[in-house]
Structures are given as structure tokens and as C-alpha cells.
Amino acid sequence: FMGALGYSMLLVAFTDLAFGWSTTLDVAAADVHRWFAWLSAPWAGWFPRAAPDQALTEAARYYRGEGAGMGLERAARLGDWWPFVLLTMLVYGLLPRLLMLA
């Protein structure tokens, strides 16, 4: 786990890390956003930047279809996912391990 967390931090610091989602299922972006909001509930109150908003969830859908023609503003916006991804790893990956160790 610590290796994955460390590698993630290196990616955030030294690459253009972005996140996107897509599915072949008929799922609305609003439903996916509710799921992300539920996942980020433990930290949304004290670190709201790490809780993706509806606009970010919608912007990250179908990111592959645009390829190199994606605008710089949208590409930069997809980089706003890293706090959510890292806190998800910490809360749902590290916290249960620490509780079991205690």
C-alpha cells in the first residue's frame, strides 16, 4: 500500500496526472457523481477540494474520445481528481489496515 501511495505522489509531482471515467453501461453522470460524493463523505467537510463536484464528474466522462483535440482548460480540469484519488486510497486502503493493527 505504501508503495502505491508513494508512487501516486510521484506521479502527481512529476507528471500530468489526470483521471477520466467511462462505462458501457447506461449510467448517468449524476448517478456516478452521487457515488463519488458518498465515497468522499469522510473528508468532504474538512477538505472539499478532494470531493469532486458535478461539473468535474461530467467533464471527466468520455475523455478518450476527444484525443489530442481536447482543450487545455478541460485537460487541466481532469488533473483536479488527484486529491480525491489519494484520499480514497488513504481512507479506504490505509485506515482499515491501521484499525486492524490496533
Side-chain angles (χ1 to χ4, degrees):
F1 174 80
M2 295 307 288
L5 188 62
Y7 186 67
S8 297
M9 290 303 296
L10 286 174
L11 287 175
V12 167
F14 297 108
T15 66
D16 186 17
L17 185 64
F19 176 83
W21 68 275
S22 61
T23 179
T24 56
L25 302 174
D26 186 20
V27 178
D31 295 334
V32 173
H33 176 259
R34 278 192 291 276
W35 185 64
F36 288 144
W38 180 82
L39 282 174
S40 61
W43 61 81
W46 57 271
F47 193 24
R49 183 170 180 252
D53 59 12
Q54 179 76 29
L56 180 57
T57 304
E58 289 175 4
R61 188 170 192 178
Y62 302 126
Y63 70 100
R64 277 191 238 145
E66 296 180 9
M70 183 185 300
L72 291 177
E73 184 178 319
R74 181 164 178 221
R77 179 82 167 126
L78 295 180
D80 290 344
W81 280 97
W82 72 265
F84 170 78
V85 173
L86 288 179
L87 275 173
T88 301
M89 289 173 61
L90 284 171
V91 169
Y92 297 108
L94 182 61
L95 188 61
R97 287 173 172 84
L98 292 176
L99 291 174
M100 290 298 289
L101 185 63

